[in-house]
Amino acid sequence: MFNTYYQKSDINALLKMFALKKTEFLSVKQLKNLQTKRFKKLLNHVLQYSKFYQWYYKKHGITIDNIENISVTDLPPINKELMMNHYDDFVCDRFLKRKNIEKFLSYSKDPREKYHNIYTVIHTSGSSGIIGLFVYGPEDWAVIKALAAIRVVKPPPHLPRRIKSAYIGATDGHYAGVSLACDVPKLWARFLPLSINSPLETIDHKSNAFYPDVLSGSTSGVHLLSQEQLKGNITIRPERIICTSEPLTYGIRDTIKKAFGREPVNLYAASESLSMAVQCKRQENLHLFTDWHIFEAVDDDLRPVAAGTPGNLLLTNLYNYTQPLIRYQMHDEVAINEPPCGCRLPFPTMRTLAGRQEEFLWFDTADGKRDYLHPSLLVELFVVGLKKFQIIQTQRNKMLMKVILDGNQEAVLAAIRQRMGEIYREKKLDTTVKLDFEIVHYIPNDPKTGKFKLIIPLKN
Ligand SMILES: [Zn+2]
């Protein structure tokens, strides 16, 4: 019991913060060694305490007796469905039962409330059709709190009082963002949740009255506040602005900067790990926290892709000993670069993610290689008079752009042509990829999902 009390304490989080700071001064090789050491320890743990992992790895010939030379890539990947179907066997803490956790979530809407006063429970909304539960024990949670504090929030040191931290987003449940944001040490900070679903007037009033030093939240939430500030409805001056959950596009970034006079920081986080990467202060790239995670980019057949090439993310969370995720398939597309970015941090970088649902378009280049158009270029395409569009790859090196136009059609079309030409030229695809236009009045949604699809790549 004393142990739990200590694990939950601010002192534990503080000591972890010091350790994390020290890690930032390791060499790339030392960092890799630390990661390997932590991976081995976790593997040993799951083979002792998780019935699921014992069974699942045994099928692949891996048992606790022969893990000496096993590396992470030797292990079979897992996914959310597999985890949830075997939940009670999956977790390493026998006390945890899916049914009971779900019962807790059905009545507890306060993200500050811990399950049995010990565990932090996070649930996902289930946009993939599968509800996900993610439980963190107090020691696991202390790591994540420290990571967020020291590498993301980095509190302004000059304040002679407690920091005021506001979070805007979904706040009425055990969602990832608010669960982490609300759990700041009380000695250190005051917290204000701003529900994105409350009336704008209420949000404005609360923001002004609280006057936060740190503003975090879903990108769309922070964007909303920046628009309110530009309209003069709020006048706040946060020193740190952290955007997460949704893509931070150039347009949104600009609006936030204009409103608050500060650059927002892009944080990559999910229920599977609440702090995985944060934007480098020198550039657009995000630094991956490889001291407490292993990140792999793989293709659709789960084979590793070359460094710098986009792939699907396999995540290994090295600090969650309660519900360990090893080679867990995320639904995010990433491009991981191994060499450090040039700042002093030893962490590899990941290219900023565009719309998570949007797909990359691949083409043949003039010199016979393959290259892609990043969806962010298309997600953020802005041409006056272009109301809505859709891009369909009709052949290997041919695209059709369906456009709904406003105003002088010829002039708008010429402007789109010019902008798309620039995008292709930058990527050196202008001589090989053909682009056709079709002016339409309506673009139907995807009949399968019922949702609008901006980019439709060629099948196979
Ligand atoms: Zn950097």
Side-chain angles (χ1 to χ4, degrees):
M1 202 59 214
F2 173 76
N3 196 28
T4 307
Y5 188 77
Y6 169 75
Q7 287 171 341
K8 284 165 72 179
S9 71
D10 290 350
I11 300 206
N12 186 21
L14 199 66
L15 289 175
K16 288 202 159 43
M17 281 162 63
F18 283 121
L20 286 166
K21 197 75 209 160
K22 261 172 72 183
T23 313
E24 293 178 9
F25 295 93
L26 295 181
S27 69
V28 172
K29 193 165 171 242
Q30 286 168 323
L31 183 66
K32 187 92 200 151
N33 289 343
L34 179 66
Q35 187 192 49
T36 307
K37 200 176 109 194
R38 286 178 172 163
F39 162 69
K40 293 266 170 178
K41 199 175 158 205
L42 182 71
L43 183 60
N44 198 61
H45 178 80
V46 300
L47 284 170
Q48 272 190 66
Y49 298 106
S50 165
K51 282 186 191 163
F52 167 82
Y53 279 110
Q54 285 165 2
W55 160 79
Y56 190 57
Y57 288 167
K58 199 178 173 183
K59 282 204 306 186
H60 291 79
I62 298 159
T63 65
I64 197 154
D65 303 317
N66 66 4
I67 55 170
E68 196 49 38
N69 297 313
I70 295 287
S71 66
V72 71
T73 49
D74 297 322
L75 302 171
I78 58 164
N79 56 41
K80 195 196 270 176
E81 199 173 3
L82 204 52
M83 176 184 83
M84 291 312 293
N85 285 344
H86 300 90
Y87 192 83
D88 294 356
D89 286 336
F90 186 92
V91 289
C92 289
D93 188 329
R94 298 264 67 84
F95 176 75
L96 297 171
K97 302 287 174 230
R98 178 175 174 172
K99 242 194 182 144
N100 299 339
I101 299 166
E102 285 174 343
K103 206 182 286 166
F104 165 74
L105 287 175
S106 69
Y107 66 78
S108 169
K109 300 292 169 216
D110 181 356
R112 276 167 286 204
E113 194 178 345
K114 303 280 182 197
Y115 180 56
H116 283 267
N117 221 1
I118 295 174
Y119 305 95
T120 307
V121 179
I122 308 286
H123 62 84
T124 54
S125 57
S127 57
S128 59
I130 307 158
I131 297 288
L133 292 178
F134 300 91
V135 177
Y136 297 80
E139 186 65 6
D140 318 328
W141 193 249
V143 176
I144 202 66
K145 267 168 73 171
L147 260 178
I150 203 79
R151 300 221 179 121
V152 185
V153 179
K154 296 185 203 164
H158 54 270
L159 291 177
R161 52 166 171 76
R162 283 197 298 168
I163 291 163
K164 290 184 283 182
S165 164
Y167 176 89
I168 183 162
T171 58
D172 57 344
H174 292 260
Y175 306 108
V178 70
S179 298
L180 182 59
C182 74
D183 207 354
V184 283
K186 286 179 191 59
L187 275 173
W188 193 43
R190 286 166 59 201
F191 176 70
L192 172 75
L194 291 166
S195 168
I196 192 105
N197 295 325
S198 53
L200 202 49
E201 229 172 66
T202 312
I203 296 176
D204 289 349
H205 177 73
K206 283 186 175 177
S207 306
N208 274 333
F210 189 68
Y211 203 75
D213 306 306
V214 176
L215 172 64
S216 63
S218 66
T219 302
S220 54
V222 176
H223 186 211
L224 178 85
L225 280 184
S226 68
Q227 287 167 321
E228 286 301 285
Q229 175 104 348
L230 288 175
K231 280 186 220 154
N233 294 338
I234 58 171
T235 42
I236 58 172
R237 202 110 198 115
E239 294 206 27
R240 289 287 282 173
I241 303 164
I242 298 147
C243 293
T244 188
S245 312
E246 294 142 5
L248 180 59
T249 62
Y250 292 107
I252 294 176
R253 177 184 289 278
D254 266 5
T255 310
I256 294 171
K257 210 175 146 188
K258 212 181 283 168
F260 301 122
R262 291 211 181 265
E263 282 275 355
V265 173
N266 196 0
L267 165 68
Y268 178 47
S271 308
E272 287 84 353
S273 176
L274 292 92
S275 189
M276 291 182 276
V278 77
Q279 194 186 338
C280 174
K281 59 176 186 262
R282 284 180 33 152
Q283 46 176 290
E284 285 304 300
N285 285 334
L286 280 82
H287 278 291
L288 291 161
F289 300 150
T290 49
D291 47 348
W292 281 113
H293 304 86
I294 300 172
F295 302 94
E296 300 169 75
V298 296
D299 64 16
D300 289 343
D301 299 321
L302 303 171
R303 283 174 310 211
V305 298
T309 315
N312 305 311
L313 178 62
L314 284 186
L315 171 74
T316 299
N317 176 332
L318 294 172
Y319 62 85
N320 191 339
Y321 275 63
T322 308
Q323 184 178 337
L325 306 177
I326 301 178
R327 302 200 90 204
Y328 176 99
Q329 279 175 264
M330 302 282 289
H331 290 279
D332 285 332
E333 228 161 2
V334 297
I336 300 169
N337 279 307
E338 284 301 334
C341 84
C343 71
R344 66 164 179 85
L345 291 175
F347 306 113
T349 57
M350 168 176 97
R351 206 166 317 131
T352 315
L353 298 166
R356 286 192 192 170
Q357 289 81 32
E358 301 302 343
E359 302 189 67
F360 288 72
L361 288 170
W362 286 86
F363 299 106
D364 298 329
T365 61
D367 53 2
K369 291 187 182 137
R370 299 273 282 164
D371 209 339
Y372 62 87
L373 269 192
H374 197 273
S376 71
L377 293 168
L378 303 171
V379 169
E380 297 181 43
L381 182 73
F382 176 73
V383 174
V384 179
L386 174 60
K387 276 178 72 180
K388 188 174 177 176
F389 69 98
Q390 183 177 50
I391 289 186
I392 305 159
Q393 189 175 18
T394 50
Q395 288 176 27
R396 216 172 145 85
N397 267 26
K398 204 168 170 183
M399 298 200 334
L400 172 68
M401 189 168 176
K402 288 187 178 179
V403 291
I404 301 178
L405 306 178
D406 224 9
N408 182 334
Q409 297 207 337
E410 276 311 303
V412 177
L413 205 56
I416 300 170
R417 235 183 255 282
Q418 190 189 338
R419 179 68 195 116
M420 290 302 286
E422 289 167 13
I423 291 172
Y424 280 113
R425 260 194 301 284
E426 239 186 310
K427 205 73 195 168
K428 297 199 172 63
L429 287 168
D430 52 319
T431 54
T432 57
V433 181
K434 191 169 182 305
L435 175 62
D436 292 318
F437 291 91
E438 188 187 338
I439 301 175
V440 295
H441 296 286
Y442 173 71
I443 302 173
N445 286 350
D446 183 351
K448 265 195 210 144
T449 63
K451 285 183 190 159
F452 176 69
K453 226 171 164 220
L454 182 71
I455 302 167
I456 303 175
L458 193 65
K459 289 289 156 250
N460 305 314

mmCIF file with all atom_site columns, all heavy atoms in Angstrom, residues 279-283 285 287 340-345 347 349, ligand 1:
data_model
loop_
_atom_site.group_PDB
_atom_site.id
_atom_site.type_symbol
_atom_site.label_atom_id
_atom_site.label_alt_id
_atom_site.label_comp_id
_atom_site.label_asym_id
_atom_site.label_entity_id
_atom_site.label_seq_id
_atom_site.pdbx_PDB_ins_code
_atom_site.Cartn_x
_atom_site.Cartn_y
_atom_site.Cartn_z
_atom_site.occupancy
_atom_site.B_iso_or_equiv
_atom_site.pdbx_formal_charge
_atom_site.auth_seq_id
_atom_site.auth_comp_id
_atom_site.auth_asym_id
_atom_site.auth_atom_id
_atom_site.pdbx_PDB_model_num
ATOM   1   N  N   . GLN A 1 279 ? 6.954  18.060 -31.218 1.00 0.00 ? 279 GLN A N   1
ATOM   2   C  CA  . GLN A 1 279 ? 7.608  18.830 -32.256 1.00 0.00 ? 279 GLN A CA  1
ATOM   3   C  C   . GLN A 1 279 ? 8.919  19.431 -31.776 1.00 0.00 ? 279 GLN A C   1
ATOM   4   O  O   . GLN A 1 279 ? 9.008  19.965 -30.673 1.00 0.00 ? 279 GLN A O   1
ATOM   5   C  CB  . GLN A 1 279 ? 6.659  19.945 -32.640 1.00 0.00 ? 279 GLN A CB  1
ATOM   6   C  CG  . GLN A 1 279 ? 6.992  20.642 -33.906 1.00 0.00 ? 279 GLN A CG  1
ATOM   7   C  CD  . GLN A 1 279 ? 6.065  21.818 -34.088 1.00 0.00 ? 279 GLN A CD  1
ATOM   8   O  OE1 . GLN A 1 279 ? 4.987  21.868 -33.512 1.00 0.00 ? 279 GLN A OE1 1
ATOM   9   N  NE2 . GLN A 1 279 ? 6.507  22.763 -34.868 1.00 0.00 ? 279 GLN A NE2 1
ATOM   10  N  N   . CYS A 1 280 ? 9.954  19.324 -32.625 1.00 0.00 ? 280 CYS A N   1
ATOM   11  C  CA  . CYS A 1 280 ? 11.238 19.937 -32.314 1.00 0.00 ? 280 CYS A CA  1
ATOM   12  C  C   . CYS A 1 280 ? 11.103 21.444 -32.425 1.00 0.00 ? 280 CYS A C   1
ATOM   13  O  O   . CYS A 1 280 ? 10.400 21.940 -33.292 1.00 0.00 ? 280 CYS A O   1
ATOM   14  C  CB  . CYS A 1 280 ? 12.282 19.443 -33.311 1.00 0.00 ? 280 CYS A CB  1
ATOM   15  S  SG  . CYS A 1 280 ? 13.867 20.249 -33.137 1.00 0.00 ? 280 CYS A SG  1
ATOM   16  N  N   . LYS A 1 281 ? 11.795 22.157 -31.539 1.00 0.00 ? 281 LYS A N   1
ATOM   17  C  CA  . LYS A 1 281 ? 11.646 23.610 -31.587 1.00 0.00 ? 281 LYS A CA  1
ATOM   18  C  C   . LYS A 1 281 ? 12.313 24.202 -32.826 1.00 0.00 ? 281 LYS A C   1
ATOM   19  O  O   . LYS A 1 281 ? 12.056 25.332 -33.198 1.00 0.00 ? 281 LYS A O   1
ATOM   20  C  CB  . LYS A 1 281 ? 12.177 24.253 -30.306 1.00 0.00 ? 281 LYS A CB  1
ATOM   21  C  CG  . LYS A 1 281 ? 13.634 23.967 -29.998 1.00 0.00 ? 281 LYS A CG  1
ATOM   22  C  CD  . LYS A 1 281 ? 14.050 24.747 -28.757 1.00 0.00 ? 281 LYS A CD  1
ATOM   23  C  CE  . LYS A 1 281 ? 15.526 24.613 -28.501 1.00 0.00 ? 281 LYS A CE  1
ATOM   24  N  NZ  . LYS A 1 281 ? 15.942 23.641 -27.536 1.00 0.00 ? 281 LYS A NZ  1
ATOM   25  N  N   . ARG A 1 282 ? 13.157 23.408 -33.464 1.00 0.00 ? 282 ARG A N   1
ATOM   26  C  CA  . ARG A 1 282 ? 13.864 23.938 -34.629 1.00 0.00 ? 282 ARG A CA  1
ATOM   27  C  C   . ARG A 1 282 ? 13.131 23.706 -35.942 1.00 0.00 ? 282 ARG A C   1
ATOM   28  O  O   . ARG A 1 282 ? 13.394 24.359 -36.932 1.00 0.00 ? 282 ARG A O   1
ATOM   29  C  CB  . ARG A 1 282 ? 15.250 23.295 -34.733 1.00 0.00 ? 282 ARG A CB  1
ATOM   30  C  CG  . ARG A 1 282 ? 16.196 23.874 -33.718 1.00 0.00 ? 282 ARG A CG  1
ATOM   31  C  CD  . ARG A 1 282 ? 17.560 23.275 -33.780 1.00 0.00 ? 282 ARG A CD  1
ATOM   32  N  NE  . ARG A 1 282 ? 17.989 22.887 -35.114 1.00 0.00 ? 282 ARG A NE  1
ATOM   33  C  CZ  . ARG A 1 282 ? 19.246 22.861 -35.490 1.00 0.00 ? 282 ARG A CZ  1
ATOM   34  N  NH1 . ARG A 1 282 ? 20.183 23.207 -34.659 1.00 0.00 ? 282 ARG A NH1 1
ATOM   35  N  NH2 . ARG A 1 282 ? 19.578 22.450 -36.684 1.00 0.00 ? 282 ARG A NH2 1
ATOM   36  N  N   . GLN A 1 283 ? 12.262 22.703 -35.980 1.00 0.00 ? 283 GLN A N   1
ATOM   37  C  CA  . GLN A 1 283 ? 11.613 22.423 -37.258 1.00 0.00 ? 283 GLN A CA  1
ATOM   38  C  C   . GLN A 1 283 ? 10.289 21.695 -37.114 1.00 0.00 ? 283 GLN A C   1
ATOM   39  O  O   . GLN A 1 283 ? 9.801  21.464 -36.022 1.00 0.00 ? 283 GLN A O   1
ATOM   40  C  CB  . GLN A 1 283 ? 12.560 21.652 -38.166 1.00 0.00 ? 283 GLN A CB  1
ATOM   41  C  CG  . GLN A 1 283 ? 13.249 20.502 -37.441 1.00 0.00 ? 283 GLN A CG  1
ATOM   42  C  CD  . GLN A 1 283 ? 14.102 19.687 -38.358 1.00 0.00 ? 283 GLN A CD  1
ATOM   43  O  OE1 . GLN A 1 283 ? 13.576 18.980 -39.196 1.00 0.00 ? 283 GLN A OE1 1
ATOM   44  N  NE2 . GLN A 1 283 ? 15.415 19.763 -38.216 1.00 0.00 ? 283 GLN A NE2 1
ATOM   45  N  N   . ASN A 1 285 ? 9.534  18.655 -37.805 1.00 0.00 ? 285 ASN A N   1
ATOM   46  C  CA  . ASN A 1 285 ? 9.581  17.259 -37.382 1.00 0.00 ? 285 ASN A CA  1
ATOM   47  C  C   . ASN A 1 285 ? 9.205  17.073 -35.923 1.00 0.00 ? 285 ASN A C   1
ATOM   48  O  O   . ASN A 1 285 ? 9.380  17.968 -35.116 1.00 0.00 ? 285 ASN A O   1
ATOM   49  C  CB  . ASN A 1 285 ? 10.991 16.719 -37.563 1.00 0.00 ? 285 ASN A CB  1
ATOM   50  C  CG  . ASN A 1 285 ? 11.293 16.459 -39.014 1.00 0.00 ? 285 ASN A CG  1
ATOM   51  O  OD1 . ASN A 1 285 ? 10.394 16.222 -39.806 1.00 0.00 ? 285 ASN A OD1 1
ATOM   52  N  ND2 . ASN A 1 285 ? 12.568 16.515 -39.361 1.00 0.00 ? 285 ASN A ND2 1
ATOM   53  N  N   . HIS A 1 287 ? 9.991  14.796 -32.482 1.00 0.00 ? 287 HIS A N   1
ATOM   54  C  CA  . HIS A 1 287 ? 10.953 13.885 -31.878 1.00 0.00 ? 287 HIS A CA  1
ATOM   55  C  C   . HIS A 1 287 ? 10.229 12.731 -31.206 1.00 0.00 ? 287 HIS A C   1
ATOM   56  O  O   . HIS A 1 287 ? 9.359  12.948 -30.371 1.00 0.00 ? 287 HIS A O   1
ATOM   57  C  CB  . HIS A 1 287 ? 11.798 14.618 -30.835 1.00 0.00 ? 287 HIS A CB  1
ATOM   58  C  CG  . HIS A 1 287 ? 12.920 15.371 -31.439 1.00 0.00 ? 287 HIS A CG  1
ATOM   59  N  ND1 . HIS A 1 287 ? 13.999 14.747 -32.017 1.00 0.00 ? 287 HIS A ND1 1
ATOM   60  C  CD2 . HIS A 1 287 ? 13.130 16.690 -31.590 1.00 0.00 ? 287 HIS A CD2 1
ATOM   61  C  CE1 . HIS A 1 287 ? 14.824 15.665 -32.494 1.00 0.00 ? 287 HIS A CE1 1
ATOM   62  N  NE2 . HIS A 1 287 ? 14.324 16.845 -32.251 1.00 0.00 ? 287 HIS A NE2 1
ATOM   63  N  N   . PRO A 1 340 ? 19.533 11.923 -36.312 1.00 0.00 ? 340 PRO A N   1
ATOM   64  C  CA  . PRO A 1 340 ? 19.005 13.026 -35.507 1.00 0.00 ? 340 PRO A CA  1
ATOM   65  C  C   . PRO A 1 340 ? 18.807 14.275 -36.366 1.00 0.00 ? 340 PRO A C   1
ATOM   66  O  O   . PRO A 1 340 ? 19.430 14.416 -37.416 1.00 0.00 ? 340 PRO A O   1
ATOM   67  C  CB  . PRO A 1 340 ? 20.086 13.265 -34.463 1.00 0.00 ? 340 PRO A CB  1
ATOM   68  C  CG  . PRO A 1 340 ? 20.972 12.088 -34.508 1.00 0.00 ? 340 PRO A CG  1
ATOM   69  C  CD  . PRO A 1 340 ? 20.832 11.461 -35.854 1.00 0.00 ? 340 PRO A CD  1
ATOM   70  N  N   . CYS A 1 341 ? 17.956 15.178 -35.904 1.00 0.00 ? 341 CYS A N   1
ATOM   71  C  CA  . CYS A 1 341 ? 17.546 16.294 -36.755 1.00 0.00 ? 341 CYS A CA  1
ATOM   72  C  C   . CYS A 1 341 ? 18.536 17.443 -36.771 1.00 0.00 ? 341 CYS A C   1
ATOM   73  O  O   . CYS A 1 341 ? 18.414 18.344 -37.580 1.00 0.00 ? 341 CYS A O   1
ATOM   74  C  CB  . CYS A 1 341 ? 16.184 16.789 -36.348 1.00 0.00 ? 341 CYS A CB  1
ATOM   75  S  SG  . CYS A 1 341 ? 16.203 17.947 -34.991 1.00 0.00 ? 341 CYS A SG  1
ATOM   76  N  N   . GLY A 1 342 ? 19.531 17.422 -35.879 1.00 0.00 ? 342 GLY A N   1
ATOM   77  C  CA  . GLY A 1 342 ? 20.492 18.515 -35.892 1.00 0.00 ? 342 GLY A CA  1
ATOM   78  C  C   . GLY A 1 342 ? 20.471 19.321 -34.612 1.00 0.00 ? 342 GLY A C   1
ATOM   79  O  O   . GLY A 1 342 ? 21.433 20.008 -34.296 1.00 0.00 ? 342 GLY A O   1
ATOM   80  N  N   . CYS A 1 343 ? 19.389 19.244 -33.856 1.00 0.00 ? 343 CYS A N   1
ATOM   81  C  CA  . CYS A 1 343 ? 19.380 19.867 -32.533 1.00 0.00 ? 343 CYS A CA  1
ATOM   82  C  C   . CYS A 1 343 ? 20.100 18.886 -31.607 1.00 0.00 ? 343 CYS A C   1
ATOM   83  O  O   . CYS A 1 343 ? 20.475 17.802 -32.011 1.00 0.00 ? 343 CYS A O   1
ATOM   84  C  CB  . CYS A 1 343 ? 17.959 20.156 -32.068 1.00 0.00 ? 343 CYS A CB  1
ATOM   85  S  SG  . CYS A 1 343 ? 17.014 18.692 -31.650 1.00 0.00 ? 343 CYS A SG  1
ATOM   86  N  N   . ARG A 1 344 ? 20.234 19.211 -30.331 1.00 0.00 ? 344 ARG A N   1
ATOM   87  C  CA  . ARG A 1 344 ? 21.071 18.346 -29.504 1.00 0.00 ? 344 ARG A CA  1
ATOM   88  C  C   . ARG A 1 344 ? 20.375 17.047 -29.054 1.00 0.00 ? 344 ARG A C   1
ATOM   89  O  O   . ARG A 1 344 ? 21.005 16.150 -28.512 1.00 0.00 ? 344 ARG A O   1
ATOM   90  C  CB  . ARG A 1 344 ? 21.574 19.125 -28.277 1.00 0.00 ? 344 ARG A CB  1
ATOM   91  C  CG  . ARG A 1 344 ? 20.486 19.519 -27.349 1.00 0.00 ? 344 ARG A CG  1
ATOM   92  C  CD  . ARG A 1 344 ? 20.937 19.932 -25.979 1.00 0.00 ? 344 ARG A CD  1
ATOM   93  N  NE  . ARG A 1 344 ? 19.777 20.299 -25.207 1.00 0.00 ? 344 ARG A NE  1
ATOM   94  C  CZ  . ARG A 1 344 ? 19.030 19.429 -24.547 1.00 0.00 ? 344 ARG A CZ  1
ATOM   95  N  NH1 . ARG A 1 344 ? 19.337 18.143 -24.555 1.00 0.00 ? 344 ARG A NH1 1
ATOM   96  N  NH2 . ARG A 1 344 ? 17.972 19.838 -23.891 1.00 0.00 ? 344 ARG A NH2 1
ATOM   97  N  N   . LEU A 1 345 ? 19.066 16.936 -29.286 1.00 0.00 ? 345 LEU A N   1
ATOM   98  C  CA  . LEU A 1 345 ? 18.347 15.748 -28.811 1.00 0.00 ? 345 LEU A CA  1
ATOM   99  C  C   . LEU A 1 345 ? 18.745 14.492 -29.586 1.00 0.00 ? 345 LEU A C   1
ATOM   100 O  O   . LEU A 1 345 ? 18.901 14.542 -30.803 1.00 0.00 ? 345 LEU A O   1
ATOM   101 C  CB  . LEU A 1 345 ? 16.840 15.967 -28.914 1.00 0.00 ? 345 LEU A CB  1
ATOM   102 C  CG  . LEU A 1 345 ? 16.248 17.000 -27.962 1.00 0.00 ? 345 LEU A CG  1
ATOM   103 C  CD1 . LEU A 1 345 ? 14.765 17.207 -28.255 1.00 0.00 ? 345 LEU A CD1 1
ATOM   104 C  CD2 . LEU A 1 345 ? 16.441 16.581 -26.511 1.00 0.00 ? 345 LEU A CD2 1
ATOM   105 N  N   . PHE A 1 347 ? 16.952 11.851 -30.064 1.00 0.00 ? 347 PHE A N   1
ATOM   106 C  CA  . PHE A 1 347 ? 15.786 11.099 -30.539 1.00 0.00 ? 347 PHE A CA  1
ATOM   107 C  C   . PHE A 1 347 ? 15.616 11.193 -32.053 1.00 0.00 ? 347 PHE A C   1
ATOM   108 O  O   . PHE A 1 347 ? 15.818 12.256 -32.639 1.00 0.00 ? 347 PHE A O   1
ATOM   109 C  CB  . PHE A 1 347 ? 14.514 11.627 -29.872 1.00 0.00 ? 347 PHE A CB  1
ATOM   110 C  CG  . PHE A 1 347 ? 14.578 11.645 -28.382 1.00 0.00 ? 347 PHE A CG  1
ATOM   111 C  CD1 . PHE A 1 347 ? 14.575 12.845 -27.692 1.00 0.00 ? 347 PHE A CD1 1
ATOM   112 C  CD2 . PHE A 1 347 ? 14.669 10.457 -27.670 1.00 0.00 ? 347 PHE A CD2 1
ATOM   113 C  CE1 . PHE A 1 347 ? 14.648 12.868 -26.305 1.00 0.00 ? 347 PHE A CE1 1
ATOM   114 C  CE2 . PHE A 1 347 ? 14.744 10.479 -26.291 1.00 0.00 ? 347 PHE A CE2 1
ATOM   115 C  CZ  . PHE A 1 347 ? 14.743 11.678 -25.599 1.00 0.00 ? 347 PHE A CZ  1
ATOM   116 N  N   . THR A 1 349 ? 13.418 11.326 -35.598 1.00 0.00 ? 349 THR A N   1
ATOM   117 C  CA  . THR A 1 349 ? 12.269 12.187 -35.868 1.00 0.00 ? 349 THR A CA  1
ATOM   118 C  C   . THR A 1 349 ? 11.222 11.484 -36.712 1.00 0.00 ? 349 THR A C   1
ATOM   119 O  O   . THR A 1 349 ? 11.492 10.495 -37.384 1.00 0.00 ? 349 THR A O   1
ATOM   120 C  CB  . THR A 1 349 ? 12.699 13.471 -36.602 1.00 0.00 ? 349 THR A CB  1
ATOM   121 O  OG1 . THR A 1 349 ? 13.360 13.092 -37.799 1.00 0.00 ? 349 THR A OG1 1
ATOM   122 C  CG2 . THR A 1 349 ? 13.603 14.329 -35.736 1.00 0.00 ? 349 THR A CG2 1
HETATM 123 ZN ZN  . ZN  B 2 .   ? 15.308 18.444 -33.085 1.00 0.00 ? 1   ZN  B ZN  1
#
